[in-house]
Amino acid sequence: MEYLINSINCQEIERITGEELKTIKQWKKGTKKVPASAIRLLKLYIEGEASALLGRDWDGHIFKNNLLFIPEWRRGLAPDEIRSLFWQGQLVSSLKTEIELLKQELERRNNEIDILEVKADFYRRQLVLESRFGMILERSFS
């Protein structure tokens, strides 16, 4: 905890925590106990450790150089990339819906093609039968 207080100057701590300089100097001297909230803010600011402020669900998430580093991701995400994730999620959802509709349409058209193939086969057989019948009639009347 002392390294957090001693690693940065009083003005910076004042900017981060919003505490008065008098109180911060007492923290540095050790005459006044540093509140847990100030420790969490300083830990987030110095180490970038999101879990210090946001809880255990954020273990491994680090803020560094204005980027958010996620344990499952190799590089940090900039604020605009984080915002774009929402829109990408919306796009994925929309595309999934469109894919489902296209699958249904494809299935419907495949069924139509199957029905048309049955009809074409019927007419093909009819044509062959009528051709044979026509040839029989022609031979019998010639």
Side-chain angles (χ1 to χ4, degrees):
M1 175 176 59
E2 283 185 28
Y3 76 95
L4 290 171
I5 298 297
N6 295 326
S7 62
I8 51 178
N9 64 41
C10 292
Q11 289 75 23
E12 194 70 14
I13 295 174
E14 178 185 30
R15 188 181 68 75
I16 296 165
T17 63
E19 284 291 335
E20 296 178 5
L21 277 175
K22 178 184 169 188
T23 305
I24 295 167
K25 288 177 183 176
Q26 290 173 341
W27 292 350
K28 283 193 174 249
K29 287 179 189 173
T31 57
K32 188 170 186 178
K33 186 179 179 206
V34 183
S37 59
I39 292 169
R40 286 195 297 265
L41 278 172
L42 291 171
K43 201 168 187 180
L44 175 65
Y45 180 78
I46 294 169
E47 298 174 356
E49 194 176 314
S51 63
L53 189 62
L54 302 173
R56 298 200 73 131
D57 290 342
W58 288 83
D59 279 345
H61 293 75
I62 305 292
F63 289 100
K64 185 177 176 183
N65 299 329
N66 203 27
L67 298 173
L68 173 61
F69 288 85
I70 298 171
E72 296 82 13
W73 201 250
R74 290 181 183 226
R75 64 175 188 79
L77 297 169
D80 58 329
E81 290 175 304
I82 294 170
R83 273 188 230 104
S84 74
L85 291 175
F86 168 77
W87 300 111
Q88 288 175 357
Q90 294 294 315
L91 179 60
V92 166
S93 176
S94 172
L95 291 173
K96 281 182 179 178
T97 302
E98 189 173 339
I99 287 169
E100 273 308 308
L101 290 172
L102 289 171
K103 282 181 179 178
Q104 290 172 5
E105 179 67 15
L106 183 61
E107 183 66 29
R108 186 183 68 76
R109 291 192 182 207
N110 282 338
N111 288 338
E112 283 180 10
I113 289 171
D114 290 345
I115 291 169
L116 290 173
E117 284 177 347
V118 168
K119 286 181 179 179
D121 188 48
F122 170 78
Y123 289 125
R124 199 175 302 116
R125 285 194 317 264
Q126 284 296 106
L127 183 61
V128 169
L129 286 174
E130 288 176 8
S131 296
R132 286 182 185 158
F133 185 68
M135 288 172 63
I136 292 172
L137 285 176
E138 184 180 320
R139 286 183 192 152
S140 52
F141 292 111
S142 319

